[in-house]
């Protein structure tokens, strides 16, 4: 699972590398983004704003990446008791706290398997994401439009694959459907990155009021 | 602000969320409501990212080859295909449709 998630993210990484050079960043800038920012959504938001607004939009690109990264903070709250990481391990763990590592970890049954899933997936994604970013950036011009290779569809499919195992209960299905609609419908009218955060508000409202919950699932809801 | 400054500042900003989450006491998740919200938040954000990645280009909603690609991906998920096979199939479907 960890390796296949890493490989899938690698496809996404080629797409990021190629799109980043197309947005006007050089290979080094692209690579440093993947090494230090290491959060696909934030990185795509960053280069997307730069592609549309040019160097004058760097400030907006930073804010957009920052806002899109907020979900990682919530993932970190979830991962903290599972990892029990202190010192250097906490600093490294924080950097690896992303969609994929959290999704794999929280789909495991026991705490030991959750921690193992987190570290293996985080490491696999970090390695594949960065090496494929480099490959994508170098091949960027030769590859031409990444859409020709369907890499944008691959990125969407990767998110769908991570989402899929989490859609078992009615409440999760309702939140997933609402979040999908909110994010897509508000995209034309809100700055890049904000629709995804707004979709998170759906989870806060539904979770806070415990809407759409079956009685039988209430006991398990706080897992 | 130069692009390099933006890259370093943006990286620090994204990392700040990640690290902040590790500073919150464990007891935050003892509250069933917080735990439920955290679970649903993952679902909401992954679903929103799927939607944005599937149906938008920049600031516009667009219906293109990504839709049949995602239908194929969903079918493969129903039949429990391996993750990498599902993702590769989605890329292939979109690429072939655009080639035709």
């Amino acid at each position: 699972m960890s390796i296949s998630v890493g490989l899938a993210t690698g496809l996404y990484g080629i797409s990021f590398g190629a799109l980043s050079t197309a947005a006007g960043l050089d290979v080094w800038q692209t690579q440093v983004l993947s090494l230090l920012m290491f959060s696909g959504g934030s990185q795509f938001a960053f280069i997307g704003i730069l592609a549309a607004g040019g160097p004058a939009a760097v400030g907006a690109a930073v804010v957009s990446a920052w806002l899109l990264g907020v979900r990682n903070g919530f993932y970190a709250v979830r991962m903290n008791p599972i990892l029990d990481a202190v010192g250097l391990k906490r600093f490294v763990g924080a950097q690896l706290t992303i969609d994929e590592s959290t999704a794999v970890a929280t789909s495991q049954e026991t705490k030991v398997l959750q921690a193992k899933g987190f570290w293996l997936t985080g490491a696999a994604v970090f390695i594949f994401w960065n090496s494929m970013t480099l490959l994508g950036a170098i091949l960027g011009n030769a590859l031409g439009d990444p859409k020709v290779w369907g890499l944008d569809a691959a990125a969407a499919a990767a998110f769908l694959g991570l989402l899929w195992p989490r859609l078992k209960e009615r409440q999760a299905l309702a939140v997933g459907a609402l979040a999908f609609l909110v994010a897509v419908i508000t995209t034309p009218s809100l700055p890049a990155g904000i629709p995804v955060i707004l979709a998170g508000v759906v989870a806060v409202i539904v979770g806070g009021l415990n809407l759409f919950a079956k009685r039988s699932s209430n006991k398990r809801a706080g897992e | 602000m130069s692009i390099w400054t933006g890259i370093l500042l943006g990286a620090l900003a994204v990392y700040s969320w990640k690290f902040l989450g590790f500073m919150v006491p464990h007891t935050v998740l003892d509250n069933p409501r917080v735990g439920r919200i955290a679970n649903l938040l993952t679902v909401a954000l992954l679903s929103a990212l799927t939607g944005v990645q599937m149906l938008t280009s920049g600031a516009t909603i667009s219906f293109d080859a990504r839709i049949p690609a995602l239908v194929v991906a969903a079918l493969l998920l129903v039949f429990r295909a391996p993750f990498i096979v599902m993702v590769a199939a989605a890329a292939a479907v979109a690429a072939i449709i655009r080639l035709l």
Side-chain angles (χ1 to χ4, degrees), chain B residues 68-93:
Chain B
L70 267 285
V71 170
V72 169
L75 282 171
L76 287 172
L77 284 165
V78 169
F79 291 105
R80 300 176 182 274
F83 195 90
I84 187 69
V85 171
M86 180 272 297
V87 170
V93 169

Side-chain angles (χ1 to χ4, degrees), chain A residues 40-53 57 59-71 183-184 186-198, chain B residues 48-49 52 56-60:
Chain A
S42 292
Q43 290 178 231
F44 273 109
F46 189 88
I47 63 161
I49 303 270
L50 281 186
V62 170
V63 171
S64 183
W66 176 62
L67 289 171
L68 207 53
V70 68
R71 69 187 187 285
V184 171
T186 60
T187 288
S189 47
L190 292 174
I194 307 298
V196 174
I197 302 302
L198 193 64
Chain B
L49 286 162
V52 168
T56 70
S57 303
T60 56

Side-chain angles (χ1 to χ4, degrees), chain B residues 2-81:
Chain B
S2 77
I3 288 183
W4 270 116
T5 309
I7 287 169
L8 297 178
L9 199 63
L12 193 66
V14 172
Y15 187 78
S16 73
W17 288 122
K18 298 176 176 177
F19 197 75
L20 189 71
F22 278 90
M23 304 305 286
V24 177
H26 297 187
T27 50
V28 170
L29 292 181
D30 288 346
N31 181 334
R33 179 170 290 165
V34 174
R36 189 167 59 233
I37 290 172
N39 268 331
L40 292 176
L41 199 59
T42 308
V43 170
L45 294 169
L46 287 172
S47 187
L49 286 162
T50 306
V52 168
Q53 187 68 47
M54 175 183 168
L55 294 176
T56 70
S57 303
T60 56
I61 295 173
S62 54
F63 302 100
D64 59 31
R66 287 173 290 177
I67 294 174
L70 267 285
V71 170
V72 169
L75 282 171
L76 287 172
L77 284 165
V78 169
F79 291 105
R80 300 176 182 274

